[in-house]
Amino acid sequence: EGAYQFGRVGSANVNAYMFGGQFGYTFGDAWSSPRLFAGLEMGSGDSSPGGDVQTFNQIFPLGHAWLGHADIIGRQNIIAPNLGVKFKPIKKLTIGLNGLYFVRASTSDGLYGVGGGITRSGSLPLVAGQTGLSSARTVGQEIDLTLTYQFDRHTTVEFGYSHFFPGDFIKETGPAPDVDFLYLQVQYTF
């Protein structure tokens, strides 16, 4: 999928875009029917502060569908290649493992959260605890593990674990702890 945004904001021109795609192959005849996939998600960022708007506005954000289950990174000023595998060791259980690598599309723009707000800047402190300037491109890496069990045609239970490893940009702009995220969800479909 892709989108291009254009227009004006005040006296500034808007020229922003996003792209997302994934290629995969399912080995249907192999044990557990493994599916290998590779993808790329990206959203443009500003090449210089002020002036024209080049940061993609994600309008209706839903980060975990494309940019990791921990919901740390938004689709603005980001490039995120990813690799993964899904397989079914038994009929009702699907196991997925996905790895994502996050870099800033433009080192002149900051880092945006899943809600669309800027969370860290490379040039001006924006949040409490932000300490430094950074021209680093690497934001971090995330690993997502999911186990999905289909009890019957109505009930699905999913367990997930995600771990985010901060990269140089986060380390250079303030506190940079690793992030662990666990969830358990039950879905009942009528």
Side-chain angles (χ1 to χ4, degrees), residues 1-8 12-20 42-46 52-59 75:
E1 67 179 335
Y4 176 69
Q5 296 171 338
F6 60 94
R8 296 185 64 74
N13 290 318
V14 176
N15 179 21
Y17 61 91
M18 62 72 67
F19 169 81
M42 70 174 301
S44 63
D46 277 340
D52 290 346
V53 177
Q54 297 168 319
T55 303
F56 180 73
N57 182 345
Q58 57 186 353
I59 303 173
R75 189 184 269 170

Side-chain angles (χ1 to χ4, degrees), residues 111-145:
L111 177 64
Y112 295 80
V114 71
I118 192 163
T119 60
R120 294 188 188 226
S121 169
S123 57
L124 297 171
L126 294 177
V127 296
Q130 185 171 337
T131 57
L133 309 178
S134 178
S135 61
R137 190 170 290 275
T138 303
V139 172
Q141 302 84 35
E142 183 174 326
I143 296 174
D144 296 330
L145 171 68

